[in-house]
Amino acid sequence: MSALIGIGAGAVAGGASANPAVGFAVGVGVAAVSDYSIRYYGRTRQGAEQDAIAAAAGDLPPGGSATWQIRHTIPYGDEAGTLKVVRDIPNPLASCKEVVFSVVDGEGKDRTRAWYDADICRQGTQWKWASAEPAVARWGFLQ
């Protein structure tokens, strides 16, 4: 996507300036900025989803379960599911837990549920995602 945006911007700049070097430079710059912006936006949205899962699981004891959901400002990619705390992870540095969580996708007969696992740890007063990324393929923006 960012390559196409860069090609378009470069073609316009090169045509307007009658200088192919200017067109090339503008195209490369626009492609780099748009690629960065797309990845940043994706990481921000996935971070919010991870924070929602960690917050829902944080105060649960081992064996406890709850539902989780994320509602983004732009209502695309809103997710929901269930989670269960598998165990506390003994750690002298921070309180940590292992959780399994589901992500429900689709509606009606096309509805699917995929399961994943992650580690969360207390960071100050909040619970935060602690799994190394990319932990699962579903967060392609982090690759």
Side-chain angles (χ1 to χ4, degrees):
M1 176 67 122
S2 58
L4 292 176
I5 294 169
I7 289 169
V12 169
S17 68
N19 186 338
V22 169
F24 178 76
V26 168
V28 169
V30 168
V33 168
S34 63
D35 185 50
Y36 172 81
S37 299
I38 290 168
R39 289 181 181 270
Y40 175 79
Y41 179 71
R43 284 191 308 268
T44 302
R45 289 177 65 88
Q46 297 311 325
E49 184 175 321
Q50 293 167 348
D51 287 346
I53 293 167
D59 292 330
L60 295 175
S65 61
T67 59
W68 70 272
Q69 69 175 357
I70 183 71
R71 297 289 177 241
H72 298 287
T73 306
I74 297 172
Y76 173 76
D78 291 344
E79 303 280 3
T82 58
L83 61 85
K84 184 171 187 171
V85 175
V86 176
R87 66 184 176 108
D88 285 328
I89 299 173
N91 183 342
L93 300 176
S95 300
C96 297
K97 299 178 183 192
E98 181 180 4
V99 299
V100 293
F101 64 96
S102 70
V103 178
V104 176
D105 220 4
E107 301 208 12
K109 64 180 177 139
D110 295 330
R111 185 175 172 166
T112 61
R113 182 182 301 263
W115 287 90
Y116 305 94
D117 70 324
D119 296 333
I120 61 170
C121 293
R122 182 181 295 278
Q123 184 179 23
T125 59
Q126 297 180 319
W127 286 88
K128 300 295 275 181
W129 198 261
S131 296
E133 297 299 344
V136 293
R138 76 184 241 97
W139 285 302
F141 289 106
L142 299 176
Q143 296 182 8

